Amino acid sequence: MAPRSSPLKGQIEPERQCSLDIHGQTVCYGLYRSRRRTIGLSVDHRGLRVGAPLGAALRDIESLLREHGQWVLDKLAHWQAQRAAATLVDGSRFPWLGQPLQLLLPDGLTRSRWGAAELQLAVPAGKAIEPVLRRVLQQRARSLFLARLEIHAARLGVPTPPLFLSSARTRWGSCNSKGEIRLSWRLGHVSLALIDYVVIHELAHLKEMNHGPRFWAIVERLYPDWRWARAELQRQASGLPPL
């Protein structure tokens, strides 16, 4: 059965909290059983909820969640973004380059200003905070990514490739057959060491458009601790802010 967004009804057992790994992210959900014939998924103000028939096996429930894993992650990301938009205030903190960054909203500021551990955000009157903040972070991320691409492309002995930004939450980067690299601007939330791993990973595809032994040999030559970095990115992914 395809996921749906309508409320789940007919609950006759207490809801219990469960969790499941989906695409490297730990997803928490509320599970309840009722006199229904199929398993249904929904996302409401409480997060992800799963309604299941009384006799449905947990393995079947988890199989459905994995089958619709991207739908689940996208819906939860949207839900988290809505929650974040409602709570962004003067003094809010979120990670940038792996360190806490404080958001300040001074009155009358006409241009955003970056400090060592703070961002003074210029929000025009009548504008929502979130889209303004996202644009400033994207600009900052693009400048940083270009600099890291230049450094590591030189180490690899290739020209700096064209860079495009994405807003992906589960795919950090990609490299296509044209030699164009796309990086999620949300990488700016993690440390420079992890950003460098993703940059080097995508640059290595300019030499090997696969994930075979020769590809990983290139990555390891430029980034010996790539196994740690890959695992750390997976660990941190679910805890990054849903901006």
Side-chain angles (χ1 to χ4, degrees), residues 37-58:
R37 296 181 179 179
T38 58
I39 301 170
L41 314 180
S42 74
V43 177
D44 60 19
H45 65 283
R46 292 161 291 188
L48 175 63
R49 302 181 69 229
V50 179
L54 294 174
L58 183 61

Side-chain angles (χ1 to χ4, degrees), residues 4-145:
R4 62 197 183 99
S5 299
S6 57
L8 303 176
K9 300 179 180 179
Q11 179 176 347
I12 64 173
E13 287 189 0
E15 184 169 305
R16 65 188 181 98
Q17 294 302 307
C18 304
S19 64
L20 179 68
D21 182 88
I22 299 179
H23 299 335
Q25 296 191 39
T26 299
V27 172
C28 298
Y29 63 94
L31 171 63
Y32 70 85
R33 299 179 182 276
S34 63
R35 293 191 182 94
R36 54 182 300 142
R37 296 181 179 179
T38 58
I39 301 170
L41 314 180
S42 74
V43 177
D44 60 19
H45 65 283
R46 292 161 291 188
L48 175 63
R49 302 181 69 229
V50 179
L54 294 174
L58 183 61
R59 64 176 179 273
D60 294 330
I61 296 170
E62 292 182 343
S63 177
L64 182 73
L65 284 167
R66 289 194 175 98
E67 179 184 351
H68 298 289
Q70 194 57 57
W71 181 90
V72 169
L73 293 177
D74 289 345
K75 286 291 184 180
L76 286 176
H78 179 69
W79 170 69
Q80 290 172 337
Q82 289 180 318
R83 294 178 67 194
T87 57
L88 279 175
V89 296
D90 187 57
S92 293
R93 294 178 183 272
F94 56 88
W96 191 252
L97 296 184
Q99 299 296 322
L101 182 72
Q102 185 174 32
L103 176 66
L104 300 179
L105 304 171
D107 291 334
L109 194 66
T110 58
R111 184 175 180 178
S112 296
R113 301 171 183 168
W114 286 83
E118 66 182 37
L119 168 60
Q120 297 183 41
L121 189 68
V123 182
K127 296 291 185 179
I129 298 172
E130 185 182 8
V132 176
L133 175 60
R134 188 183 300 115
R135 184 167 59 252
V136 170
L137 295 180
Q138 287 171 345
Q139 292 169 349
R140 190 77 165 188
R142 180 176 179 80
S143 297
L144 173 65
F145 297 166

Side-chain angles (χ1 to χ4, degrees), residues 225-240:
D225 290 334
W226 65 266
R227 292 178 181 83
W228 164 82
R230 183 174 63 177
E232 186 64 16
L233 272 173
Q234 292 177 343
R235 187 188 71 81
Q236 292 189 22
S238 61
L240 294 182

